[in-house]
Amino acid sequence: MTLSQKQRIFTINVAKLIVEAYNRGIELTFGEVFRTTEQQLLYVQSGKSKTMNSNHLRRLAVDFNFFINGKLTYDWNDIKPLGEYWETLHPANRWGGDWNKNDIKDGFIDTPHFEMNA
Ligand SMILES: [Zn+2]
């Protein structure tokens, strides 16, 4: 599969994720999708990211801001159902709040982040 084909699958799955969020009463605004190598380097240097191999560099990751009852939240427990839903949409999908798909907050937690690791 080409990168472009993966990006198109990722994009339709993001659309499904957005609909699911609103159905659950979670409104969204976008953070980053595409990220340049220069921006990624700044994030690694400042500790906001741990890798220069981010799927944002390939347009295969999105960060969201979440609003419940009009209030901004990044609470792991509030967002976890969306992470679980995301991982049902494609076998390569991962949620940054649960990198290891084990329901445990281990490692670097990135609740806003949804990616296709393909
Ligand atoms: Zn991200």
Side-chain angles (χ1 to χ4, degrees), residues 35 56 61-63 110 113-114:
R35 186 178 298 162
H56 284 288
V62 59
D63 303 321
D110 193 1
H113 179 95
F114 298 80

Side-chain angles (χ1 to χ4, degrees), residues 10-11 13 16-19 26 31-32 38-39 48-49 61-64 67 79 86-87 92 98 110-111 116-117:
F10 172 75
T11 301
N13 283 335
K16 292 174 185 174
L17 178 67
I18 292 168
V19 171
I26 303 172
E32 286 184 84
E38 291 78 10
Q39 187 65 47
K48 283 181 77 179
S49 178
V62 59
D63 303 321
F64 282 113
F67 295 83
I79 310 309
W86 175 246
E87 291 176 358
D98 190 13
D110 193 1
T111 307
M116 182 177 181
N117 189 36

Side-chain angles (χ1 to χ4, degrees), residues 3-30:
L3 178 59
S4 176
Q5 287 171 317
K6 290 173 189 172
Q7 289 167 334
R8 283 173 270 158
I9 292 168
F10 172 75
T11 301
I12 186 66
N13 283 335
V14 169
K16 292 174 185 174
L17 178 67
I18 292 168
V19 171
E20 178 74 10
Y22 278 74
N23 285 342
R24 289 174 175 272
I26 303 172
E27 295 178 294
L28 304 174
T29 64
F30 283 108

